[in-house]
Amino acid sequence: MPALASARYGKDNVRVCKVQRDEKTGTHSVTEMTVCCLLEGEIETSYTKADNSVVVATDSIKNTIYIKAKQHPVDPPELYASHLGQHFLDTYPHITSAHIDIIVHRWTRLTVDGAPHPHSFFRDGQETRNVEATVSRSGGIALKSTIAGLSVLKSTGSAFHGFVRDQYTTLPETWDRILSTDIDCSWTWKPFATVAAVEAGVERFNKAWTSARDIILQTFATDESASVQNTMYKMCEQILDAVPEADKAGFSLPNKHYFEIDLSWHNGLKNTGKDAEVYAPQSGPNGLIKCEVARDVSTLAQR
Ligand SMILES: O=c1[nH]c(=O)c2[nH]c(=O)[nH]c2[nH]1
């Protein structure tokens, strides 16, 4: 006999923009987010018995996302996600956990005549700052912070050699290649007991984001990379050092290949090895390299 094994529901792709105005200076700040909010709890009968009495309508969930954005700061997103998730537990006794995913889109302040403009912004890239929050009666507030979609490329300082060579191998070893990826980096916070605990020392979240971003960019640029694997591991170690309240850091990185093009068939034109200048960027297939580094290995999820 089949039975409901798991269920959660809510509203996805809720787009929210909050403008905060400093009346004294006339400076505005803008935060644009895409929010997903899914609820779990004693909601089985809505699936199995057509019992809508246990359903908080997804339309109401959407309204709540707007209201909580009005009532609370949306920066940092970790705090807003905690307030939003906690609201559902405080308001509906049969809801046992709220899963909040937030994507924060970039609006970077414009510089006009050398000065930061008070109310104009531009989108400088597809990079986003993301948060996944699970607020539950049993586990408190679990937060994971992410930098996603930060595209980087270096034109030297990357090698890849010494890998397995057998009857399946065609890739030549290289001591100098283009390395390019779209950064997806996350760090997982030790659980917080309450929203008040998230709020106490709330500056930790923006500080961690800035540190992680700096570490990623600096290490990407300066590491003499032996592989994507080794470079991402070095970044994780440094992020764990910089963010003492995180117990895990990890990456998921596509290896976006740039192939050398042999043009020697055209009048002996040299364009490989030390003469390589014109490359063919590949859309796919691409490598995909992932890892998680735990401060204490016992905190790693069992697989
Ligand atoms: O940094 C790399 N890691 C790999 O595992 C790999 N595999 C591959 O073909 N190229 C690369 N590059």
Side-chain angles (χ1 to χ4, degrees), residues 158-160 163 171 177 179 225-230 255 257 287 289:
S158 166
F160 186 60
F163 50 87
L171 184 74
R177 64 175 180 175
L179 182 61
S225 175
S227 63
V228 175
Q229 286 90 329
N230 184 238
N255 188 5
H257 306 301
I289 322 276

Side-chain angles (χ1 to χ4, degrees), residues 79-292:
L79 178 61
Y80 169 65
S82 302
H83 278 300
L84 180 60
Q86 188 63 47
H87 162 88
F88 291 100
L89 302 196
D90 292 346
T91 311
Y92 308 106
H94 70 293
I95 297 300
T96 52
S97 56
H99 303 269
I100 316 292
D101 289 354
I102 298 180
I103 300 169
V104 183
H105 306 281
R106 272 177 96 75
W107 284 123
T108 301
R109 192 173 298 283
L110 269 175
T111 300
V112 176
D113 293 334
H117 196 270
H119 60 249
S120 297
F121 306 84
F122 72 115
R123 169 105 359 120
D124 60 340
Q126 294 311 307
E127 175 189 356
T128 58
R129 174 176 173 177
N130 304 349
V131 173
E132 284 173 40
T134 298
V135 185
S136 64
R137 296 192 192 280
S138 53
I141 301 174
L143 294 171
K144 183 163 126 175
S145 305
T146 297
I147 292 170
L150 171 59
S151 298
V152 289
L153 178 149
K154 66 195 287 185
S155 50
T156 189
S158 166
F160 186 60
H161 48 81
F163 50 87
V164 174
R165 288 215 86 77
D166 60 14
Q167 66 273 36
Y168 296 100
T169 313
T170 54
L171 184 74
E173 296 186 299
T174 179
W175 279 258
D176 189 10
R177 64 175 180 175
I178 289 178
L179 182 61
S180 179
T181 190
D182 303 325
I183 300 291
D184 181 330
C185 169
S186 300
W187 52 99
T188 305
W189 298 86
K190 295 181 205 302
F192 295 89
T194 59
V195 177
V198 174
E199 204 153 17
V202 74
E203 63 284 345
R204 67 169 77 79
F205 298 108
N206 288 351
K207 202 168 148 254
W209 180 84
T210 304
S211 302
R213 196 169 184 275
D214 289 349
I215 288 165
I216 290 164
L217 293 177
Q218 172 155 6
T219 308
F220 181 79
T222 58
D223 185 40
E224 283 299 323
S225 175
S227 63
V228 175
Q229 286 90 329
N230 184 238
T231 300
M232 63 164 50
Y233 186 79
K234 289 177 179 170
M235 292 174 178
C236 287
E237 284 183 316
Q238 293 177 72
I239 291 169
L240 288 175
D241 270 352
V243 188
E245 289 176 274
D247 57 20
K248 229 172 18 179
F251 281 88
S252 174
L253 298 182
N255 188 5
K256 298 166 78 178
H257 306 301
Y258 287 69
F259 287 174
E260 289 188 5
I261 311 167
D262 184 350
L263 297 176
S264 60
W265 54 270
H266 182 80
N267 304 328
L269 202 54
K270 291 183 177 159
N271 190 54
T272 57
K274 66 175 178 32
D275 299 309
E277 285 183 298
V278 176
Y279 295 79
Q282 304 295 298
S283 345
N286 58 270
L288 180 61
I289 322 276
K290 300 182 180 220
C291 79
E292 283 188 318

